[in-house]
Amino acid sequence: MNIVALSKRLLPRRFSDRRSLHRINDAFVETVFSGRKPILGFSGRSFHHLRKAGSFVVPRVFFVSSRLRNLSTNASSSKQPAFLRWYLRKLESHPFITKSITTSLIYMAADLTSQMITMQPSESFDLIRTARMASFGLIFLGPSQHLWFSYLSRILPKRDVLTTFKKIMMGQVLFGPCSNTVFYSYNAALQGENSDEILARLKRDLLPTLKNGLMYWPVCDFVTFKYVPVHLQPLMNSSCAYIWTIYLTYMANQTKADS
């Protein structure tokens, strides 16, 4: 016998139908979450009377109310800053372009920071170099991160420690070498280097970059894969990439390698 049928036998007649039980449940939820006085003539004494009918104890909340979920969702979202709420809505409605633009802006900021660290007082910002970095984030890295993290979440949906290490290993073996190879090749091509010069640059710079990445990215990836929701993982990855890109843009804009 379910709780509704049993309550019809044990509760007073005016509370015996399903509609009344829903009204009781909604009244209780509104009372708890809004801080208002009980409504529908629903006092603490009468509620205690409803909970205990003979030797049978009726649960405090009869049904899982959608109003409870809506109240908790609205309460949590109202505490978020307006910009964060706007950004999360964009991630939901236009995930591909939002992640691409975010990555582009982070790469642009990282390159400007890198230039500030290395340039002499008499020098000025190389905005063409910054545009190259921003375009790489927009055209290549942002879209590839979106596809990569979505793919990993499909083939490895769990978030336990073993699965997290599998994702980290795949990132170090597949995604990292591919993205760094494309980065160096793309940047060198836009600087006018030919194929032989690009290959010489890769031989000189790619392996040291991957070695240094082994000391930085596994920690960032562990936090990303273990604790960050899938739709925010590219943002977390790009945020970690801000520090990494300061080093990466410095490496990418060194003098040509001897071919």
Side-chain angles (χ1 to χ4, degrees), residues 31-54:
T31 301
V32 172
F33 284 91
S34 64
R36 296 196 297 267
K37 293 181 179 180
I39 60 177
L40 299 175
F42 204 41
S43 64
R45 183 177 181 181
S46 60
F47 185 75
H48 180 74
H49 173 71
L50 288 173
R51 284 181 56 220
K52 293 185 177 181

Side-chain angles (χ1 to χ4, degrees), residues 216-225 236 240:
Y216 179 77
W217 280 111
V219 177
C220 298
D221 288 342
F222 182 84
V223 175
T224 300
F225 290 127
M236 179 64 181
C240 294

Side-chain angles (χ1 to χ4, degrees), residues 19-77:
R19 184 178 300 176
S20 297
L21 290 174
H22 278 294
R23 292 179 63 198
I24 293 170
N25 176 58
D26 290 344
F28 175 72
V29 171
E30 286 189 6
T31 301
V32 172
F33 284 91
S34 64
R36 296 196 297 267
K37 293 181 179 180
I39 60 177
L40 299 175
F42 204 41
S43 64
R45 183 177 181 181
S46 60
F47 185 75
H48 180 74
H49 173 71
L50 288 173
R51 284 181 56 220
K52 293 185 177 181
S55 61
F56 178 79
V57 179
V58 180
R60 288 180 180 271
V61 181
F62 298 97
F63 305 101
V64 179
S65 174
S66 61
R67 187 175 302 183
L68 174 60
R69 293 192 296 267
N70 293 336
L71 283 172
S72 61
T73 302
N74 293 336
S76 61
S77 62

